[in-house]
Amino acid sequence: KDKKDKKDKKGKEADKDGALGYDEEDGYGEEIYDEGALEMLADEGIDSDVEAEENERYNRRPRPADGPVERSTENGFLARQPCRGALVAPTSHATGYNTHEKPDHHLQLDFVYGYRAHDSRHNLVYNIDGLVTYPAAATGIAYDSREHTQQFFTMHTDDIVSLAMHPDREIMATGQVGKDPTICVWSSTTCELLAELKGFHQRAVVSLSFDGTGKYLASVGLDDDHSVAIYDWASRRMVANSKGDENRVLNCEYNPYDGRLVTGGVKHIKFWVMEGGYLVGKRGVYGRMGAVSTILSIAFHTDGSTLTGTQGGIIYQWADGGEQCIQKFEALHQGPVHDIFVNDDYILTGGKDGKVNFFTQYMEKVFTIDMAKVVETITDLQGKPLCSYDGKAPCIKSLFMEGTQLLVGTKGSEIFEFDMSTEDSWKTRRRIITQGHSAGYDDKRRIQTSELWGLTTHPFLPQFVSAGDDKTLRVYDMYQRRQIAVRNVSSKVRSAAYSPDGKFIAAGFFGGGFIVFDTNTGNELIAKKHRRECIGDIKFSPSGRWLAVGSHDNFVDVYDASRNFKRVGVCKGHSSYITHLDWSEDSRYLQTNSGDYELMFWEIPGCEQVKFPTALKDTKWDSWTSTLGWPVQGVWPKHADGTDVNACCRSADGTVVATADDFGLVKLFRYPSDVGRADYHGYLGHSSHVTNCRFSYNDEFLITVGGNDRCAFQWRHYEADEGDEEMTSEVEEEVLTSVEDYEDFSKTNQVVQMVMTGHINGVPQYMPLPSLEAKPSREIPQGSGLDPGSRLAFLPCASAIFAPDGYLREPDALAPCMEAAELEFVHGYRAHDTRDNLFYTARGEVVYHTAALGIVYNRESNTQRFLADNPTVDGITGHTDDILCCARHPTGSIFATGEVGRNPKLIVWSSDDPRRPLAILQGFLKKAIVSATFSRDGTLLCAVGADANHSLAVYRWQTGTMLASAKGSPEKIVTVSWSPFQDYVVTCGVKHLMFWSTSPFVARKALFSKRGKIQTMLCCCFPGPDTTVVGTQDGSLYLFKGYQLATNMRRCHQVTHAVIATRDVVISGGKEGKVKFWTIDLMQCLKEVEINHPQAMSGCIKAMHLSGSMLILGTRTGEIYEMDTTSYTYTLMLQGHGYGTVWGLATHPGEHQMCTVGDDCTVRVWDVASRRMVMVRDLGAKGRSVAYHPDGSQIAIGLAGGGLVVLSADSLDTIHAKKDREEPIHELKYSPNGQYLGVGSHDNYIDVYDVGKQYGRMGVAKGHASYIRHIDWSEDSTVMQSNSGDFEMLFWEMPSGKQIKFPADTRNMDWATWTCVAGWPVQGILPRYSMGTDVTTCDRSHTRTVVASGDQFGMLNMYQYPAHKGCAGRTFGAHSAKVTQVRFMFDDTYLITVGADMTLCQWRIVL
């Protein structure tokens, strides 16, 4: 019955009649119903949870200002405190010049353990991407259950107590507590803030709900009137508001069917509508169906009616569009119904009794999940419960179901996920998403209370223990990001500590006393109680013998762990409670802080106070967690009251100190902070007071715990040098530059905008947009030789195209040429950005790759077989882009290669017949496949991609099934290797080393301790079970036992690029070209061999493989060596160009030889018959073009810097050197008579030199508007033709360089060569819609019957000569990037191609 007086007569009469009237604000003054029945209050008793929620007011004290940076300690906060006399600097210490500045180190939130549920409900959802979204502390969390990672929204400044999901399921709204609480609307996929709403509510925003359109957002505050507000959130405008009720309003929900807002709370239910810009509410009418109840949950039936769950375990159903109660369902739960969830199949209810009930739409019970039984079955490795289960059923506060996946959130800060595909599947297929400390009930204050204070990190494992007022100690694994154990104790716990050997955990109680557990068994060893008040801090000495226990009754008790923890002394002297304590490194001294800002020192075990702190100024402290002291003066704010800084912790390397304050802020300072006030990095996430902080043993993580939020935050600690690791040039090229190249230069990653031009036989036709916009030239002369439809008509050269006089086209001129090219041999080996890609087969052949080719090389016959793409056949026969990795099957006859590309292929093939792939795996990995490895039995294949997460995938390759996948690392992973002894996988990369179990496919980070450090890891091998050797960027060899570093052989190479192992020996190869043989424990180097050769430019070793006594080695510059490990002698087997494009190619005028130059600054001469390189010389500069003199005696080379070098063809000695240009010499050719040399440069000129006059310049051809691409001489050496970058075609008189103004005058010219890609006889080599840039090179055969061209896509094409528009060609694949040059041998028996893929291909011409 309403307690307020009614202002209108009807309201008063209604009250007298016993009916429930309405406030004037409600907008209704007439009777609500006709029956006249009295609305009775339900006798629901007192529920402690609901009562505590009703009484909560979230009082917060304001945060004081930090004040400006103060370098002088005299003006610092501690200079005015009792501890000032003990603030003594070490001998000869000088304050650093940058001590007051922010540190170079940073923190990044990695994982949050906990979930806000004790005073909140219905706050757990799946978003549009399937991420589990929920609040913890002041952080909104989007959890990826597939990858076990979290994303964070951290714009709140205090506890989030409400959450609502937008109808689009991407946008979330969250409301916080505080004097002026904020509502944040944010994206759960990007965690970006979309809108911030504040200024109306007070104390807290306890509930939120989006309407069905997503435009409006309703909120309920915690002011005295429990006001309701409606926002147009996108415009950040409040459109209406109203008083809610004098009783506590607990929740609000928009009805998606009729658009009304429903609010529920303590003896409260109202239905709200917007009328005339006002928010008008009507109370619900129970009538004879029931009594006024406390409404805890609201949901909506599929028929539009409203369902409400009450404190008494009853669910009421309310009429669609009305306020009448139409149905009552009793005894559904024993106690409060905290959440209801409705979908098309079920109505789910969750209550304090720990049961999730499934009902039909007619409220007929189908089955029940009893969470009390569920938590009993979830145990740790020791068989003990993993959930905090004290015999009471877990109170369910939130439910959400999507498809067959069910989320259950409990008051104990636990979130469970169940598979509901069948009625019994949840019994076995369930998992815990997160676990945190739970809240407790204060009988005196009648509110929820429990704080989390105790925290300790393991001395050498990635684990930490948190201890709280919920009477539990919880053990978490930082790498697994899971709670791995929990122990219930008899009292609230306020402090905890590991022993130095990690065998014991000591925990101090709120009521005095402590307990010690054995970490191996989890059993209690001993419990002691000599104090009655809280144990504020507890720590083992570094020696492990002493245990110091500081209590709130001002004493520190010291116990002897070696004597069953017998008390051996008491430190007396403090006049207030003990807050922190630390041991010296030698375990002889103890320093203590107290609540009245005293800092005292004690000698142990005598417990005598050290009266003169100066005596200990040079003492080295094992830890520094004291908030008072010389090295932490600068962490205190200017206006602190002494309780602002709750905890601090120095990093293990002593470079930074982290603090936890009373206002939810985690701060990071330089250490020591011996200034008055220092600057810092501050991090939000916690709410109200952060109570403790600890670094992990290796400083990789900082753990912080919140008092009221009861969450543990795991921050990743980035050290100053981690972002700026000094990489050698070749490592930087592999892990940084090459990743950009995959996207920028991969031909399958190139995107061309296409436009549909029509249909042919119902099939849509497309053309590139630039081609559509191209217009034919207006300067096409009368009698032009342009073929109909020729693409040259759209280019500037159109006016220079003339057919010879009297030319008659043959009837079969458009038919394919008779000749074909058969790939015979390839010179090249890709190693600059890959490794571990060189193997022996079971038959003793050698497998490696270059360009888009997998190669099987027979050493005896000096022949090759290829895995190559055939572009003329349907289906996949090989790779179409650069191959980046190669993996060897345990049988030695099957290999897997992975490529670059938007959707790269991983091809499994046999070395016996590489022409027919065995399996093609494609679809999941993106951008590139950088490494692959077979399982030890060969049935599985694991590969790594080059996407942003460097994802891993595991395939059953015979069936093409992907069995597992995972995110690898934000930085590049360079190699993945499967142990031949056990089923685990190791990944190495930039500051990355992970050990992956295969079932399930989850990773564990390597543990380095103090023997080594995380850095760029490049390679690994396996000498035996549970043993891994890893090569590092600083040249070291790390030997791991399991995932823990056991041995570090420091800097045995400049950079360790390759390692292999047998059961007897480990072999390593480095940047400096040395191969070292080690014992398997790395304790002794057995042999060292330096690899060098007169014809090799470098010995940097990137790959090795051992077969019997023969060791094969691959170097970064493209050499492949073979070594006999019995004699340690080696031979050079194969060679290729080093990293960079091969630009220049010339074939000898009378021998089967060719010469090449490129960006690796070398000139190389190759022999076709022997299939080997015969000479090489370092030019000292990048080469761009090359030409043989007609008599074969000289080789002219154009350089990238504009220079010209002429070498002797016999010795490669320099004959002449000139430099008349500053830009690259892209093309040069000798005249057929050998008298002149034409040199075309990128500054648009062609210089003509007289060979017989010491290469004196005779003339300059000026007239091109762009760089020179190609030139050709006439047979009589009197005329030259040239193409430029803008597709001009000009003609010149030689040697003067005078331009021939009328191209028609040259129509009958006999050209000695034809390498210009524009001209009358090569119109057919341009593809349809081409703008000319896709064809990069061409060459006419000496028989003048065929012309070969190379294009931007790595294809070799052959056509009849002359090639008319529309002629059919033959296409051959091998190159992975653009073909830069193509040339026929003097007798047309061979065709040679080179490309940007550093590869030289030798093709045999066949008929």
Side-chain angles (χ1 to χ4, degrees):
K1 185 177 181 180
D2 277 357
K3 297 180 181 180
K4 292 186 178 181
D5 292 334
K6 305 302 176 182
K7 294 184 179 180
D8 60 77
K9 184 176 179 181
K10 289 185 178 181
K12 292 179 180 178
E13 292 174 354
D15 278 352
K16 291 177 182 178
D17 293 338
L20 182 63
Y22 286 101
D23 299 350
E24 187 175 31
E25 293 84 11
D26 295 337
Y28 296 86
E30 54 193 9
E31 284 190 333
I32 312 160
Y33 55 92
D34 298 329
E35 293 125 338
L38 183 65
E39 289 279 89
M40 301 296 295
L41 297 179
D43 183 12
E44 298 175 296
I46 297 176
D47 181 81
S48 59
D49 292 345
V50 178
E51 184 182 36
E53 196 171 341
E54 184 181 357
N55 293 334
E56 182 61 74
R57 287 297 179 266
Y58 305 111
N59 295 319
R60 299 285 195 263
R61 72 185 182 97
R63 177 188 171 194
D66 285 334
V69 169
E70 178 59 62
R71 301 191 69 170
S72 172
T73 56
E74 296 299 322
N75 297 323
F77 172 77
L78 295 188
R80 306 187 299 272
Q81 306 306 322
C83 63
R84 61 184 177 275
L87 305 178
V88 184
T91 302
S92 303
H93 173 76
T95 301
Y97 73 94
N98 60 352
T99 300
H100 62 289
E101 297 177 357
K102 294 180 180 180
D104 297 328
H105 297 214
H106 296 274
L107 300 176
Q108 183 178 13
L109 191 54
D110 183 66
F111 208 81
V112 176
Y113 306 92
Y115 159 58
R116 183 86 180 193
H118 71 277
D119 58 355
S120 185
R121 56 179 57 78
H122 196 60
N123 60 350
L124 180 60
V125 298
Y126 284 111
N127 77 353
I128 187 67
D129 293 332
L131 304 184
V132 182
T133 307
Y134 60 94
T139 304
I141 297 174
Y143 169 78
D144 187 336
S145 58
R146 184 165 167 264
E147 303 294 341
H148 192 51
T149 57
Q150 294 174 340
Q151 301 176 55
F152 308 100
F153 176 76
T154 57
M155 298 300 290
H156 283 286
T157 57
D158 215 325
D159 282 306
I160 299 174
V161 291
S162 55
L163 180 144
M165 183 166 64
H166 192 277
D168 70 3
R169 295 183 56 200
E170 177 192 350
I171 297 171
M172 301 290 161
T174 44
Q176 70 172 65
V177 306
K179 183 179 180 180
D180 186 19
T182 301
I183 300 170
C184 291
V185 183
W186 50 283
S187 166
S188 61
T189 58
T190 65
C191 291
E192 294 179 355
L193 178 67
L194 304 178
E196 186 177 58
L197 312 172
K198 63 187 303 184
F200 176 70
H201 292 298
Q202 298 175 17
R203 297 197 188 109
V205 179
V206 298
S207 187
L208 293 164
S209 180
F210 285 98
D211 75 335
T213 66
K215 180 178 181 180
Y216 295 108
L217 175 66
S219 61
V220 176
L222 196 56
D223 56 285
D224 292 340
D225 295 315
H226 304 99
S227 301
V228 181
I230 307 295
Y231 293 91
D232 181 342
W233 66 268
S235 62
R236 298 169 176 80
R237 180 173 59 92
M238 185 169 64
V239 297
N241 68 80
S242 177
K243 295 180 181 179
D245 199 318
E246 64 181 12
N247 292 329
R248 175 75 182 268
V249 179
L250 298 173
N251 45 40
C252 67
E253 292 289 341
Y254 263 111
N255 189 325
Y257 301 99
D258 60 20
R260 294 189 302 169
L261 177 69
V262 183
T263 58
V266 178
K267 308 301 181 185
H268 165 92
I269 182 170
K270 271 190 178 182
F271 298 84
W272 304 79
V273 294
M274 290 282 293
E275 292 185 354
Y278 294 93
L279 187 60
V280 180
K282 294 184 180 181
R283 294 185 184 276
V285 180
Y286 288 86
R288 294 184 176 87
M289 286 296 173
V292 179
S293 304
T294 295
I295 303 299
L296 300 178
S297 51
I298 303 170
F300 303 98
H301 198 282
T302 53
D303 63 8
S305 62
T306 302
L307 301 173
T308 58
T310 70
Q311 179 180 320
I314 299 170
I315 289 181
Y316 290 102
Q317 187 172 9
W318 307 81
D320 178 19
E323 298 80 40
Q324 296 285 339
C325 181
I326 58 175
Q327 194 82 8
K328 176 182 179 181
F329 304 98
E330 296 187 272
L332 300 183
H333 287 275
Q334 296 179 6
V337 181
H338 282 296
D339 202 9
I340 305 172
F341 183 84
V342 180
N343 61 19
D344 293 337
D345 299 317
Y346 297 108
I347 297 173
L348 286 72
T349 63
K352 187 173 182 177
D353 58 1
K355 291 182 171 60
V356 181
N357 291 327
F358 286 71
F359 298 93
T360 67
Q361 300 295 334
Y362 303 101
M363 293 303 292
E364 300 166 340
K365 185 181 289 188
V366 181
F367 63 95
T368 298
I369 297 176
D370 189 345
M371 293 301 297
K373 295 181 178 178
V374 170
V375 298
E376 287 178 339
T377 62
I378 301 176
T379 59
D380 60 20
L381 296 177
Q382 296 167 346
K384 298 184 178 181
L386 193 56
C387 302
S388 176
Y389 181 55
D390 56 4
K392 297 179 181 179
C395 175
I396 297 169
K397 297 300 292 288
S398 189
L399 298 172
F400 194 89
M401 192 168 181
E402 176 66 24
T404 61
Q405 298 300 114
L406 171 66
L407 293 174
V408 178
T410 72
K411 179 192 167 188
S413 296
E414 295 172 325
I415 298 177
F416 298 84
E417 187 176 47
F418 296 91
D419 182 349
M420 304 300 298
S421 53
T422 67
E423 289 189 9
D424 293 326
S425 60
W426 61 270
K427 296 178 181 178
T428 54
R429 293 200 287 271
R430 73 277 193 281
R431 62 175 168 178
I432 302 174
I433 286 178
T434 191
Q435 290 178 280
H437 286 265
S438 60
Y441 182 69
D442 189 322
D443 294 321
K444 295 180 180 179
R445 299 166 60 194
R446 294 182 180 274
I447 61 173
Q448 296 278 10
T449 180
S450 267
E451 295 194 3
L452 176 58
W453 284 83
L455 175 66
T456 180
T457 52
H458 197 282
F460 52 82
L461 292 178
Q463 296 176 3
F464 69 91
V465 172
S466 59
D469 289 356
D470 61 350
K471 303 179 182 179
T472 65
L473 277 78
R474 299 171 184 262
V475 184
Y476 296 88
D477 188 295
M478 301 179 204
Y479 290 161
Q480 294 184 33
R481 297 172 179 156
R482 296 188 187 280
Q483 178 182 303
I484 58 175
V486 62
R487 294 295 176 266
N488 294 324
V489 293
S490 58
S491 179
K492 297 179 181 179
V493 189
R494 282 298 174 97
S495 54
Y498 269 105
S499 62
D501 57 7
K503 293 181 178 180
F504 306 120
I505 296 175
F509 292 132
F510 180 77
F514 68 93
I515 191 170
V516 179
F517 287 94
D518 185 316
T519 57
N520 292 325
T521 64
N523 296 330
E524 175 186 330
L525 292 180
I526 197 166
K528 297 272 188 177
K529 185 173 183 181
H530 291 106
R531 301 297 164 200
R532 295 180 179 273
E533 295 190 39
C534 174
I535 304 300
D537 202 1
I538 187 170
K539 279 190 179 73
F540 283 92
S541 66
S543 66
R545 180 175 180 182
W546 314 113
L547 177 66
V549 181
S551 67
H552 276 218
D553 51 9
N554 310 350
F555 301 120
V556 179
D557 297 294
V558 180
Y559 298 85
D560 189 342
S562 64
R563 297 164 61 188
N564 201 27
F565 292 92
K566 179 181 179 180
R567 186 167 66 168
V568 295
V570 179
C571 300
K572 303 176 182 180
H574 277 292
S575 54
S576 184
Y577 58 91
I578 308 301
T579 58
H580 307 91
L581 56 86
D582 290 293
W583 286 92
S584 63
E585 288 186 354
D586 58 8
S587 303
R588 292 179 57 195
Y589 299 101
L590 193 66
Q591 69 172 355
T592 54
N593 291 171
S594 64
D596 59 354
Y597 321 119
E598 289 180 320
L599 171 60
M600 292 186 177
F601 302 90
W602 314 87
E603 191 171 356
I604 305 299
C607 294
E608 295 180 4
Q609 183 181 354
V610 179
K611 298 294 186 180
F612 302 101
T614 306
L616 299 181
K617 64 180 181 180
D618 294 323
T619 300
K620 296 189 180 300
W621 298 97
D622 183 61
S623 63
W624 196 287
T625 60
S626 297
T627 58
L628 310 174
W630 162 78
V632 291
Q633 298 174 77
V635 307
W636 288 88
K638 180 177 182 179
H639 304 289
D641 66 0
T643 62
D644 299 52
V645 181
N646 295 314
C648 73
C649 183
R650 181 190 66 194
S651 60
D653 63 4
T655 57
V656 290
V657 60
T659 66
D661 73 13
D662 241 15
F663 310 98
L665 203 59
V666 176
K667 299 178 181 178
L668 197 65
F669 297 85
R670 292 181 184 271
Y671 183 91
S673 187
D674 54 327
V675 293
R677 199 159 34 259
D679 206 353
Y680 60 86
H681 293 297
Y683 303 93
L684 292 172
H686 282 288
S687 63
S688 63
H689 57 298
V690 188
T691 55
N692 216 333
C693 60
R694 291 290 185 272
F695 280 98
S696 61
Y697 74 97
N698 58 359
D699 288 342
E700 185 176 357
F701 297 103
L702 174 72
I703 308 298
T704 58
V705 293
N708 288 329
D709 61 42
R710 292 175 296 281
C711 292
F713 279 49
Q714 179 172 307
W715 308 83
R716 186 172 292 279
H717 173 215
Y718 291 98
E719 298 182 4
D721 64 339
E722 284 202 31
D724 302 310
E725 181 184 17
E726 288 294 331
M727 291 185 180
T728 59
S729 59
E730 80 280 357
V731 174
E732 182 176 3
E733 193 173 88
E734 179 177 353
V735 303
L736 299 177
T737 308
S738 64
V739 175
E740 299 172 0
D741 291 349
Y742 298 157
E743 189 165 336
D744 294 341
F745 301 114
S746 166
K747 64 185 182 184
T748 53
N749 273 332
Q750 303 305 310
V751 177
V752 178
Q753 187 174 357
M754 305 294 285
V755 179
M756 189 173 73
T757 58
H759 293 77
I760 297 179
N761 297 326
V763 179
Q765 303 297 304
Y766 296 90
M767 69 182 298
L769 180 59
S771 300
L772 180 66
E773 296 173 346
K775 304 297 182 184
S777 173
R778 296 181 178 180
E779 300 180 359
I780 301 176
Q782 188 77 19
S784 169
L786 287 169
D787 293 334
S790 172
R791 292 306 300 173
L792 296 185
F794 295 84
L795 301 175
C797 63
S799 61
I801 307 301
F802 291 92
D805 290 335
Y807 173 76
L808 295 176
R809 182 186 295 190
E810 296 291 336
D812 61 348
L814 300 184
C817 59
M818 298 294 293
E819 297 86 345
E822 183 180 279
L823 188 59
E824 182 179 85
F825 206 86
V826 172
H827 298 280
Y829 160 58
R830 188 175 185 119
H832 72 278
D833 61 350
T834 183
R835 60 187 64 247
D836 301 330
N837 58 346
L838 178 63
F839 303 98
Y840 285 110
T841 70
R843 296 181 176 182
E845 295 178 311
V846 177
V847 170
Y848 61 100
H849 62 82
T850 186
L853 298 168
I855 300 174
V856 182
Y857 174 67
N858 188 297
R859 297 172 293 168
E860 296 178 357
S861 61
N862 192 28
T863 58
Q864 296 173 337
R865 301 190 302 277
F866 307 99
L867 169 74
D869 176 57
N870 186 345
T872 63
V873 301
D874 294 333
I876 297 174
T877 60
H879 291 281
T880 53
D881 214 325
D882 283 305
I883 299 177
L884 289 185
C885 63
C886 182
R888 182 182 188 268
H889 193 275
T891 62
S893 60
I894 295 175
F895 295 83
T897 44
E899 68 181 11
V900 175
R902 184 182 297 271
N903 188 23
K905 297 184 291 293
L906 182 62
I907 300 180
V908 184
W909 49 281
S910 170
S911 58
D912 297 333
D913 187 5
R915 295 172 299 175
R916 296 180 177 83
L918 304 177
I920 298 167
L921 310 173
Q922 193 175 19
F924 176 73
L925 299 176
K926 301 300 180 183
K927 202 171 183 180
I929 298 173
V930 297
S931 186
T933 180
F934 281 99
S935 62
R936 56 186 180 138
D937 62 0
T939 59
L940 305 181
L941 181 61
C942 181
V944 179
D947 57 284
N949 297 311
H950 297 92
S951 303
L952 284 83
V954 178
Y955 298 93
R956 189 174 299 281
W957 63 267
Q958 297 95 331
T959 62
T961 307
M962 187 173 74
L963 304 180
S965 65
K967 293 179 180 178
S969 170
E971 301 290 348
K972 183 178 179 181
I973 295 176
V974 299
T975 188
V976 57
S977 298
W978 205 306
S979 170
F981 302 99
Q982 295 158 290
D983 278 329
Y984 72 91
V985 174
V986 177
T987 53
C988 303
V990 179
K991 294 186 182 300
H992 170 95
L993 180 61
M994 302 280 271
F995 294 80
W996 300 76
S997 63
T998 56
S999 184
F1001 192 54
V1002 294
R1004 184 154 197 170
K1005 289 191 175 182
L1007 299 181
F1008 291 91
S1009 66
K1010 295 183 180 179
R1011 295 186 178 93
K1013 64 177 182 178
I1014 182 65
Q1015 57 176 300
T1016 297
M1017 307 292 175
L1018 298 173
C1019 51
C1020 67
C1021 64
F1022 308 92
D1026 283 319
T1027 306
T1028 308
V1029 173
V1030 178
T1032 71
Q1033 206 260 164
D1034 72 355
S1036 301
L1037 288 173
Y1038 287 175
L1039 187 145
F1040 288 84
K1041 290 294 186 180
Y1043 54 89
Q1044 295 186 342
L1045 180 59
T1047 303
N1048 178 3
M1049 183 55 62
R1050 298 180 184 275
R1051 304 187 186 280
C1052 46
H1053 295 282
Q1054 290 181 12
V1055 177
T1056 306
H1057 278 297
V1059 288
I1060 59 172
T1062 67
R1063 288 185 177 272
D1064 304 315
V1065 66
V1066 173
I1067 307 174
S1068 63
K1071 176 185 177 180
E1072 74 288 351
K1074 292 180 180 179
V1075 179
K1076 296 186 178 183
F1077 297 77
W1078 306 83
T1079 57
I1080 59 172
D1081 59 2
L1082 301 184
M1083 290 294 102
Q1084 182 182 359
C1085 181
L1086 304 174
K1087 183 68 177 179
E1088 178 181 309
V1089 182
E1090 185 170 359
I1091 305 298
N1092 53 54
H1093 193 277
Q1095 290 188 350
M1097 296 295 103
S1098 167
C1100 178
I1101 297 166
K1102 296 294 294 290
M1104 299 188 296
H1105 188 244
L1106 186 67
S1107 178
S1109 63
M1110 302 307 294
L1111 176 68
I1112 195 166
L1113 309 164
T1115 71
R1116 182 177 179 273
T1117 48
E1119 291 86 18
I1120 297 178
Y1121 296 88
E1122 188 174 47
M1123 178 188 292
D1124 187 337
T1125 58
T1126 59
S1127 62
Y1128 300 107
T1129 57
Y1130 57 89
T1131 57
L1132 180 59
M1133 182 185 294
L1134 295 166
Q1135 286 179 277
H1137 273 275
Y1139 177 58
T1141 300
V1142 182
W1143 291 101
L1145 168 66
T1147 53
H1148 196 284
E1151 299 178 12
H1152 285 105
Q1153 290 187 352
M1154 57 274 191
C1155 181
T1156 56
V1157 295
D1159 284 348
D1160 65 348
C1161 303
T1162 65
V1163 54
R1164 299 171 186 259
V1165 178
W1166 313 82
D1167 184 75
V1168 172
S1170 64
R1171 303 178 187 133
R1172 296 196 182 279
M1173 189 185 78
V1174 293
M1175 281 190 293
V1176 61
R1177 177 185 162 180
D1178 187 355
L1179 292 172
K1182 294 180 179 180
R1184 284 299 176 89
S1185 52
V1186 62
Y1188 271 103
H1189 191 276
D1191 64 8
S1193 63
Q1194 298 179 12
I1195 298 173
I1197 299 172
L1199 303 179
L1204 170 67
V1205 179
V1206 181
L1207 308 179
S1208 166
D1210 296 330
S1211 62
L1212 298 184
D1213 293 333
T1214 302
I1215 298 175
H1216 296 286
K1218 300 183 73 69
K1219 190 175 190 297
D1220 293 320
R1221 300 296 168 196
E1222 297 297 327
E1223 296 191 37
I1225 305 300
H1226 188 78
E1227 176 73 306
L1228 46 73
K1229 277 191 179 71
Y1230 283 96
S1231 62
N1233 62 12
Q1235 186 175 352
Y1236 305 113
L1237 175 66
V1239 180
S1241 67
H1242 267 230
D1243 51 8
N1244 311 349
Y1245 300 123
I1246 302 173
D1247 295 295
V1248 182
Y1249 297 94
D1250 190 328
V1251 176
K1253 296 181 178 180
Q1254 300 297 310
Y1255 286 88
R1257 186 161 60 174
M1258 299 290 294
V1260 179
K1262 302 178 182 179
H1264 277 294
S1266 184
Y1267 63 91
I1268 309 302
R1269 293 184 69 192
H1270 308 97
I1271 60 176
D1272 289 298
W1273 287 87
S1274 63
E1275 194 69 57
D1276 60 6
S1277 303
T1278 61
V1279 177
M1280 177 186 289
Q1281 67 176 357
S1282 57
N1283 285 172
S1284 61
D1286 59 356
F1287 287 91
E1288 285 182 318
M1289 188 171 187
L1290 301 182
F1291 301 88
W1292 316 89
E1293 293 180 2
M1294 288 293 130
S1296 65
K1298 181 181 179 181
Q1299 184 178 352
I1300 299 174
K1301 297 296 185 179
F1302 302 101
D1305 293 345
T1306 65
R1307 65 196 310 160
N1308 297 316
M1309 187 65 62
D1310 184 15
W1311 297 101
T1313 60
W1314 194 288
T1315 59
C1316 291
V1317 297
W1320 171 78
V1322 291
Q1323 297 178 70
I1325 71 174
L1326 296 182
R1328 186 183 184 188
Y1329 304 131
S1330 170
M1331 294 305 296
T1333 56
D1334 33 16
V1335 177
T1336 56
T1337 181
C1338 74
D1339 189 37
R1340 181 191 65 194
S1341 66
H1342 295 81
T1343 59
R1344 306 193 180 195
T1345 58
V1346 63
V1347 60
S1349 70
D1351 63 26
Q1352 285 277 7
F1353 311 103
M1355 295 297 147
L1356 168 64
N1357 303 285
M1358 296 178 66
Y1359 308 88
Q1360 277 199 62
Y1361 182 87
H1364 291 285
K1365 173 63 180 175
C1367 67
R1370 298 181 184 273
T1371 303
F1372 309 93
H1375 288 282
S1376 58
K1378 69 177 179 181
V1379 179
T1380 55
Q1381 294 289 348
V1382 54
R1383 291 292 183 269
F1384 282 94
M1385 276 290 160
F1386 72 96
D1387 58 0
D1388 293 337
T1389 54
Y1390 286 93
L1391 180 67
I1392 311 299
T1393 58
V1394 295
D1397 50 22
M1398 299 153 285
T1399 302
L1400 185 153
C1401 294
Q1402 178 175 313
W1403 307 80
R1404 179 182 291 276
I1405 301 300
V1406 296
L1407 296 176

